Amino acid sequence: LKPSWIRRPEAPTTPRTPFAVCRLRPRAADGRQRLTALRGAAGALMEATLSVSKQTGVGRFKIQGFSLLHRKKGDAVTSGPIIDIEDAQWEILVYPRGNERCRDGWIRVSVRCAHCPRETRALYSVSVLNQAGEVKHKLEEEALFMSGDGWGFDNFISLERLCDPLKGFAEDVVIFEASVTVLGQEMISIAPLQMSESGPGSSSCGFGARAATSCDELAADFRALWESGARSDVVLRIGDSELRAHRLVLAARSPVFARMLCSESRMAEAFTGIIVIEDVDFQTMGHICEFMYTGSLRDSVACAADSEAVGALLQAAAKYEIKGLVRQCAAKVSTGLTIENVAEWLTLASQLGLQADALRLRCLQLIANHLAEVQATEGWSRLMQKPRVLAEIAPPLFQALCPPTKKRRTMFR
């Protein structure tokens, strides 16, 4: 769970500024590198800047007569490749009747990589606009793309809302917009630091720079609120230990906590302010709360190195329906899938249901490509002893192993 892969939840947030600054001194006689100011022969203060390159492409898919589209559940209409970033292409897919995971009356929208020569990490978003060009709904997340991969959102928007003329959807015209930002290479540059009149420790900061850091400042303020426990009104009781929190934050970030703490639910937690946590350990619950307050994890490096900790965090995030953390955990797990552990992660993803569907599909893809090797692992043997999980994964696994072939049309003259 490194901060570099922690990506924003479904509610839009401002991405972090993609650069970091450090100041260096020349190596000492004993060869040690000191992370302080580097001064040249003329006494110049040098500055090293690490930047991550990124390229963004945007495409729109306009559908006239949307309500007249005749599609079955699971069938999509595609824009074709309309986003080009270097040698990769993306297209927008719209499922007017949703798919098997969507509720009735809701649509699915996704972005598919039509062509990509290598695995690519990208931040993508999908929006729906009315005829006036106003964004009425938008979701975004980060994912790893390969050719043919499609990532998107089930239950993206309801047909009732999409066809509401009060929202500006007039004349049965709907516009979908997708944005893809490819996150590329890391580059470092060194240049003399521009000194201000007030000295080396000061810098001038315009309005734009201040706006860019507002999200970090907000996260820092909420972290301070979480760590101090000031004005807390909820107690999370885990065994003999307790965590103090704020019901407004918990309810805003987790639908499960929102239902618990709603006075209309008449649940005991809403009146006592005490929530007993029985199946999540203290450290994992602390990570859950930290993410709900700040959108990131300070101890992410230690957590990412422990697969059991990542698994426990993924299960807890799914239990409390913290979708942003579920997606980020799943994306991190996807980058570390191997033949040895893929069966174990497939078992867990299947047990978590739709929230971990992206991870489940990634596991199935890897197993389909290396079935013989995976079958020789202990994880596969344990998977064979779980009939309910087998019943769920068998159809998509068979489809991945033997994808249906399209019938060729015969031309008659």
Side-chain angles (χ1 to χ4, degrees), residues 369-382:
N369 294 335
H370 305 277
L371 181 60
E373 297 93 328
V374 174
Q375 286 178 325
T377 64
E378 295 181 1
W380 182 264
S381 300
R382 286 189 286 270

PDB file of all heavy atoms in Angstrom, residues 369-382:
ATOM      1  N   ASN A 369      -3.810 -18.365 -18.427  1.00  0.00           N
ATOM      2  CA  ASN A 369      -2.553 -18.346 -19.190  1.00  0.00           C
ATOM      3  C   ASN A 369      -1.527 -19.339 -18.668  1.00  0.00           C
ATOM      4  O   ASN A 369      -0.605 -19.707 -19.394  1.00  0.00           O
ATOM      5  CB  ASN A 369      -1.951 -16.935 -19.175  1.00  0.00           C
ATOM      6  CG  ASN A 369      -2.814 -15.935 -19.919  1.00  0.00           C
ATOM      7  OD1 ASN A 369      -3.583 -16.294 -20.807  1.00  0.00           O
ATOM      8  ND2 ASN A 369      -2.704 -14.661 -19.554  1.00  0.00           N
ATOM      9  N   HIS A 370      -1.665 -19.771 -17.389  1.00  0.00           N
ATOM     10  CA  HIS A 370      -0.678 -20.667 -16.777  1.00  0.00           C
ATOM     11  C   HIS A 370      -1.386 -21.752 -15.964  1.00  0.00           C
ATOM     12  O   HIS A 370      -1.019 -22.011 -14.813  1.00  0.00           O
ATOM     13  CB  HIS A 370       0.277 -19.875 -15.872  1.00  0.00           C
ATOM     14  CG  HIS A 370       0.970 -18.741 -16.558  1.00  0.00           C
ATOM     15  ND1 HIS A 370       2.105 -18.895 -17.314  1.00  0.00           N
ATOM     16  CD2 HIS A 370       0.661 -17.409 -16.614  1.00  0.00           C
ATOM     17  CE1 HIS A 370       2.481 -17.723 -17.800  1.00  0.00           C
ATOM     18  NE2 HIS A 370       1.626 -16.800 -17.399  1.00  0.00           N
ATOM     19  N   LEU A 371      -2.391 -22.367 -16.548  1.00  0.00           N
ATOM     20  CA  LEU A 371      -3.220 -23.303 -15.790  1.00  0.00           C
ATOM     21  C   LEU A 371      -2.419 -24.474 -15.239  1.00  0.00           C
ATOM     22  O   LEU A 371      -2.574 -24.840 -14.064  1.00  0.00           O
ATOM     23  CB  LEU A 371      -4.361 -23.812 -16.677  1.00  0.00           C
ATOM     24  CG  LEU A 371      -5.332 -24.783 -15.999  1.00  0.00           C
ATOM     25  CD1 LEU A 371      -5.991 -24.127 -14.796  1.00  0.00           C
ATOM     26  CD2 LEU A 371      -6.387 -25.268 -16.983  1.00  0.00           C
ATOM     27  N   ALA A 372      -1.570 -25.087 -16.045  1.00  0.00           N
ATOM     28  CA  ALA A 372      -0.832 -26.267 -15.586  1.00  0.00           C
ATOM     29  C   ALA A 372       0.063 -25.946 -14.388  1.00  0.00           C
ATOM     30  O   ALA A 372       0.114 -26.703 -13.416  1.00  0.00           O
ATOM     31  CB  ALA A 372       0.005 -26.831 -16.735  1.00  0.00           C
ATOM     32  N   GLU A 373       0.747 -24.786 -14.454  1.00  0.00           N
ATOM     33  CA  GLU A 373       1.628 -24.421 -13.334  1.00  0.00           C
ATOM     34  C   GLU A 373       0.826 -24.102 -12.076  1.00  0.00           C
ATOM     35  O   GLU A 373       1.224 -24.473 -10.964  1.00  0.00           O
ATOM     36  CB  GLU A 373       2.495 -23.208 -13.709  1.00  0.00           C
ATOM     37  CG  GLU A 373       3.456 -23.473 -14.864  1.00  0.00           C
ATOM     38  CD  GLU A 373       2.865 -23.078 -16.201  1.00  0.00           C
ATOM     39  OE1 GLU A 373       1.638 -23.182 -16.355  1.00  0.00           O
ATOM     40  OE2 GLU A 373       3.636 -22.673 -17.078  1.00  0.00           O
ATOM     41  N   VAL A 374      -0.303 -23.411 -12.234  1.00  0.00           N
ATOM     42  CA  VAL A 374      -1.113 -23.054 -11.064  1.00  0.00           C
ATOM     43  C   VAL A 374      -1.705 -24.297 -10.411  1.00  0.00           C
ATOM     44  O   VAL A 374      -1.802 -24.384  -9.186  1.00  0.00           O
ATOM     45  CB  VAL A 374      -2.231 -22.076 -11.472  1.00  0.00           C
ATOM     46  CG1 VAL A 374      -3.164 -21.802 -10.300  1.00  0.00           C
ATOM     47  CG2 VAL A 374      -1.634 -20.764 -11.977  1.00  0.00           C
ATOM     48  N   GLN A 375      -2.073 -25.288 -11.207  1.00  0.00           N
ATOM     49  CA  GLN A 375      -2.668 -26.504 -10.656  1.00  0.00           C
ATOM     50  C   GLN A 375      -1.698 -27.282  -9.768  1.00  0.00           C
ATOM     51  O   GLN A 375      -2.130 -28.100  -8.953  1.00  0.00           O
ATOM     52  CB  GLN A 375      -3.160 -27.400 -11.795  1.00  0.00           C
ATOM     53  CG  GLN A 375      -4.428 -26.885 -12.461  1.00  0.00           C
ATOM     54  CD  GLN A 375      -4.865 -27.755 -13.614  1.00  0.00           C
ATOM     55  OE1 GLN A 375      -4.034 -28.304 -14.348  1.00  0.00           O
ATOM     56  NE2 GLN A 375      -6.169 -27.898 -13.785  1.00  0.00           N
ATOM     57  N   ALA A 376      -0.410 -27.014  -9.899  1.00  0.00           N
ATOM     58  CA  ALA A 376       0.583 -27.715  -9.086  1.00  0.00           C
ATOM     59  C   ALA A 376       0.852 -27.026  -7.747  1.00  0.00           C
ATOM     60  O   ALA A 376       1.652 -27.512  -6.951  1.00  0.00           O
ATOM     61  CB  ALA A 376       1.892 -27.837  -9.872  1.00  0.00           C
ATOM     62  N   THR A 377       0.181 -25.915  -7.458  1.00  0.00           N
ATOM     63  CA  THR A 377       0.440 -25.161  -6.228  1.00  0.00           C
ATOM     64  C   THR A 377      -0.473 -25.614  -5.097  1.00  0.00           C
ATOM     65  O   THR A 377      -1.542 -26.199  -5.330  1.00  0.00           O
ATOM     66  CB  THR A 377       0.229 -23.646  -6.462  1.00  0.00           C
ATOM     67  OG1 THR A 377      -1.153 -23.405  -6.790  1.00  0.00           O
ATOM     68  CG2 THR A 377       1.112 -23.155  -7.606  1.00  0.00           C
ATOM     69  N   GLU A 378      -0.056 -25.314  -3.871  1.00  0.00           N
ATOM     70  CA  GLU A 378      -0.877 -25.649  -2.708  1.00  0.00           C
ATOM     71  C   GLU A 378      -2.147 -24.816  -2.672  1.00  0.00           C
ATOM     72  O   GLU A 378      -3.194 -25.280  -2.216  1.00  0.00           O
ATOM     73  CB  GLU A 378      -0.070 -25.429  -1.426  1.00  0.00           C
ATOM     74  CG  GLU A 378       1.126 -26.352  -1.283  1.00  0.00           C
ATOM     75  CD  GLU A 378       1.869 -26.109   0.018  1.00  0.00           C
ATOM     76  OE1 GLU A 378       1.413 -25.222   0.798  1.00  0.00           O
ATOM     77  OE2 GLU A 378       2.892 -26.777   0.262  1.00  0.00           O
ATOM     78  N   GLY A 379      -2.060 -23.582  -3.144  1.00  0.00           N
ATOM     79  CA  GLY A 379      -3.242 -22.735  -3.162  1.00  0.00           C
ATOM     80  C   GLY A 379      -4.346 -23.315  -4.026  1.00  0.00           C
ATOM     81  O   GLY A 379      -5.532 -23.237  -3.679  1.00  0.00           O
ATOM     82  N   TRP A 380      -3.972 -23.906  -5.141  1.00  0.00           N
ATOM     83  CA  TRP A 380      -4.977 -24.530  -6.007  1.00  0.00           C
ATOM     84  C   TRP A 380      -5.614 -25.735  -5.319  1.00  0.00           C
ATOM     85  O   TRP A 380      -6.823 -25.960  -5.435  1.00  0.00           O
ATOM     86  CB  TRP A 380      -4.337 -24.950  -7.324  1.00  0.00           C
ATOM     87  CG  TRP A 380      -5.311 -25.559  -8.290  1.00  0.00           C
ATOM     88  CD1 TRP A 380      -5.561 -26.888  -8.485  1.00  0.00           C
ATOM     89  CD2 TRP A 380      -6.178 -24.866  -9.187  1.00  0.00           C
ATOM     90  NE1 TRP A 380      -6.519 -27.066  -9.440  1.00  0.00           N
ATOM     91  CE2 TRP A 380      -6.913 -25.840  -9.902  1.00  0.00           C
ATOM     92  CE3 TRP A 380      -6.396 -23.510  -9.482  1.00  0.00           C
ATOM     93  CZ2 TRP A 380      -7.853 -25.512 -10.873  1.00  0.00           C
ATOM     94  CZ3 TRP A 380      -7.326 -23.175 -10.442  1.00  0.00           C
ATOM     95  CH2 TRP A 380      -8.050 -24.158 -11.118  1.00  0.00           C
ATOM     96  N   SER A 381      -4.796 -26.505  -4.603  1.00  0.00           N
ATOM     97  CA  SER A 381      -5.336 -27.660  -3.870  1.00  0.00           C
ATOM     98  C   SER A 381      -6.354 -27.223  -2.829  1.00  0.00           C
ATOM     99  O   SER A 381      -7.408 -27.857  -2.665  1.00  0.00           O
ATOM    100  CB  SER A 381      -4.193 -28.435  -3.203  1.00  0.00           C
ATOM    101  OG  SER A 381      -3.270 -28.910  -4.170  1.00  0.00           O
ATOM    102  N   ARG A 382      -6.065 -26.127  -2.136  1.00  0.00           N
ATOM    103  CA  ARG A 382      -7.026 -25.620  -1.151  1.00  0.00           C
ATOM    104  C   ARG A 382      -8.275 -25.076  -1.842  1.00  0.00           C
ATOM    105  O   ARG A 382      -9.387 -25.199  -1.327  1.00  0.00           O
ATOM    106  CB  ARG A 382      -6.371 -24.543  -0.286  1.00  0.00           C
ATOM    107  CG  ARG A 382      -5.373 -25.107   0.730  1.00  0.00           C
ATOM    108  CD  ARG A 382      -4.930 -24.025   1.711  1.00  0.00           C
ATOM    109  NE  ARG A 382      -4.020 -23.084   1.081  1.00  0.00           N
ATOM    110  CZ  ARG A 382      -2.693 -23.231   1.061  1.00  0.00           C
ATOM    111  NH1 ARG A 382      -2.128 -24.293   1.617  1.00  0.00           N
ATOM    112  NH2 ARG A 382      -1.926 -22.316   0.495  1.00  0.00           N
TER     113      ARG A 382
END
